[in-house]
Amino acid sequence: MAVVALALVPAAHAQGIISAAADSLRTDPVYVSPDAEEQIDAQRVRDEIASSRSGPVYVAVLPAIAMDEAGGDPTEVVRQLHDDLGRDGTYAVVVGDHFRALSNTLAQGTAGDLATQSINAHGQEGVTATLVDFVDRVAAARNGGGDSTPSGSGWILPVLLIGGLIAFFVLRGRSRKRQAAADLAAVKEVAHDDLIALAGDVQTLETQVKGNAAAQAAYDKATQSYGDASESFDRAGSAKELTRVSQALEEGRFQMAVAEAALAGKPAPERRDPCFFDPRHGPSVRDVLWTPPGGAARKVPACELDAERVERGEEPATREIAYGGRMIPYYAAPPIFGGYFGGFLPGFLTGQLLGGPFGWGGGWYGAGPAIGAGSSGMGDFGSFGGGDLGGGGDFGGGGGDF
């Protein structure tokens, strides 16, 4: 009976080829699978790693069937090997007749380039010669490279460096200008909608204020504010300069509220911040306790209609803008909109009203990346966060086939 029980133990517990390689690499920088199609002088490669000052280098020679564990992709084999081992360093993997390399201790793209150079230089001599050369190239890259410059040409490197720096700053300047122009266009589109909205409100009120001195005076101020906003809009050379537009619009909306109050025979409204949910609603009338998605309850200024909606448990009429191919609440917009909307509600710029991370990722008023702004991710190595991996890592797409 005992024999039968042992025979029924599932075979699924057998260790995979990649994980077996990772286990071996914990104690030995070179692993050669007994089933690998290519066999190497492992000791020669170990000695080269030890003597070359190449830093941590892990070499694995695996059979082609190892690619079955990685979707048939030899480069994915290297990634999975790194994930299983979980150590910083340079990885060189021969799987079947494919040679791939990656590193998170070298500059991005370097490992793949070095693998390609090694196989071009020594591929005809076999796998061992190629891997030894690769280790030497990694050592040279980590230690600044050898002196292969001909005598009398020491001036070349400084000239190349200076030229490279000049090109870098020129290209960076152009990139910044393009980005600034794109930012300005995005914010101007939103500001233009606000200008049109105020123009419509002013035109509607024009005939109603005649014969009412107080209403007419406030209406005239609103008209002047609209003119100031329009002029500032035309002159704005950056997204930040559009703050003047939002400030003029806010003044215009307040004066419109004063005119409407005069027409209704009521006293002028208190000067308060605009409605948080949509500054186009005009000045707020009171603060209301509101809980944003994923955030803590806080008081925000609101117009009467939005305040009542919130108190009834309904969604307020929140201003949305188009960004990143979708509509988002204006207060969740990226930092480029901060200057413009901060002209309406300057407290948001220091997080005085909405300071915590929201369910949609924060925005310019609080913590967390802005929607549509992208994310750094963890590079091509997946979630392992060592060394220089967090900013993108290095995926050695280079290499070649033996």
Side-chain angles (χ1 to χ4, degrees):
M1 293 297 293
V3 174
V4 174
L6 288 174
L8 294 177
V9 174
H13 293 292
Q15 188 176 29
I17 297 172
I18 299 175
S19 60
D23 286 347
S24 177
L25 291 174
R26 297 184 196 284
T27 57
D28 186 342
V30 180
Y31 171 76
V32 181
S33 170
D35 299 322
E37 290 84 356
E38 302 287 346
Q39 294 296 310
I40 66 169
D41 183 347
Q43 190 57 49
R44 181 182 170 189
V45 179
R46 289 190 192 96
D47 292 343
E48 201 68 24
I49 294 173
S51 63
S52 65
R53 295 194 303 151
S54 58
V57 174
Y58 302 99
V59 175
V61 181
L62 308 176
I65 58 173
M67 289 187 289
D68 294 342
E69 300 177 13
D73 185 354
T75 56
E76 186 64 25
V77 172
V78 191
R79 274 199 267 184
Q80 289 193 21
L81 181 62
H82 168 271
D83 291 343
D84 287 349
L85 184 57
R87 293 180 182 176
D88 293 342
T90 300
Y91 290 69
V93 176
V94 177
V95 52
D97 62 353
H98 304 288
F99 179 29
R100 296 291 184 269
L102 60 78
S103 177
N104 63 355
T105 57
L106 298 176
Q108 184 172 355
T110 301
D113 291 342
L114 298 182
T116 300
Q117 294 169 20
S118 294
I119 202 169
N120 287 340
H122 297 278
Q124 297 301 319
E125 300 172 36
V127 181
T128 300
T130 301
L131 290 173
V132 168
D133 181 76
F134 176 75
V135 172
D136 290 341
R137 291 177 189 271
V138 171
R142 282 180 55 86
N143 297 293
D147 182 11
S148 59
T149 305
S151 176
S153 61
W155 57 271
I156 296 178
L157 182 58
V159 169
L160 290 176
L161 288 174
I162 293 172
L165 286 173
I166 292 174
F168 168 76
F169 285 116
V170 169
L171 291 174
R172 186 175 68 170
R174 291 176 180 174
S175 177
R176 287 181 174 178
K177 287 181 179 179
R178 288 194 297 268
Q179 186 60 53
D183 291 348
L184 177 60
V187 183
K188 265 198 164 185
E189 183 176 353
V190 173
H192 185 256
D193 291 342
D194 289 352
L195 281 168
I196 293 176
L198 181 59
D201 293 342
V202 168
Q203 186 175 8
T204 300
L205 202 62
E206 181 178 8
T207 58
Q208 301 178 32
V209 299
K210 293 180 179 179
N212 187 315
Q216 183 69 57
Y219 173 81
D220 291 342
K221 291 179 181 179
T223 303
Q224 180 60 49
S225 294
Y226 170 78
D228 293 341
S230 182
E231 184 176 350
S232 296
F233 178 88
D234 292 336
R235 290 182 177 180
S238 68
K240 186 177 181 180
E241 290 179 10
L242 287 169
T243 299
R244 301 188 186 96
V245 177
S246 56
Q247 291 171 342
L249 289 172
E250 191 272 332
E251 174 64 23
R253 290 167 186 154
F254 175 73
Q255 294 300 334
M256 290 286 288
V258 172
E260 291 170 350
L263 289 173
K266 298 179 180 180
E270 176 188 359
R271 190 64 184 260
R272 290 175 51 92
D273 285 331
C275 175
F276 162 71
F277 300 105
D278 190 340
R280 295 176 299 183
H281 295 169
S284 60
V285 296
R286 56 193 173 95
D287 292 343
V288 63
L289 190 64
W290 174 67
T291 304
R298 67 209 62 201
K299 287 187 175 181
V300 295
C303 66
E304 185 60 36
L305 290 177
D306 279 333
E308 292 175 357
R309 290 188 183 98
V310 171
E311 290 168 345
R312 291 195 300 265
E314 300 174 359
E315 287 295 322
T318 301
R319 170 78 183 279
E320 292 189 336
I321 64 172
Y323 187 79
R326 57 174 170 162
M327 300 300 293
I328 60 173
Y330 81 94
Y331 45 74
I336 59 172
F337 291 88
Y340 179 68
F341 287 122
F344 297 126
L345 297 162
F348 290 173
L349 294 181
T350 55
Q352 293 174 0
L353 294 180
L354 293 178
F358 281 38
W360 51 74
W364 52 266
Y365 55 83
I371 291 177
S375 60
S376 63
M378 295 303 294
D380 293 308
F381 284 150
S383 60
F384 178 70
D388 298 326
L389 194 58
D394 175 30
F395 166 52
D401 300 339
F402 288 102

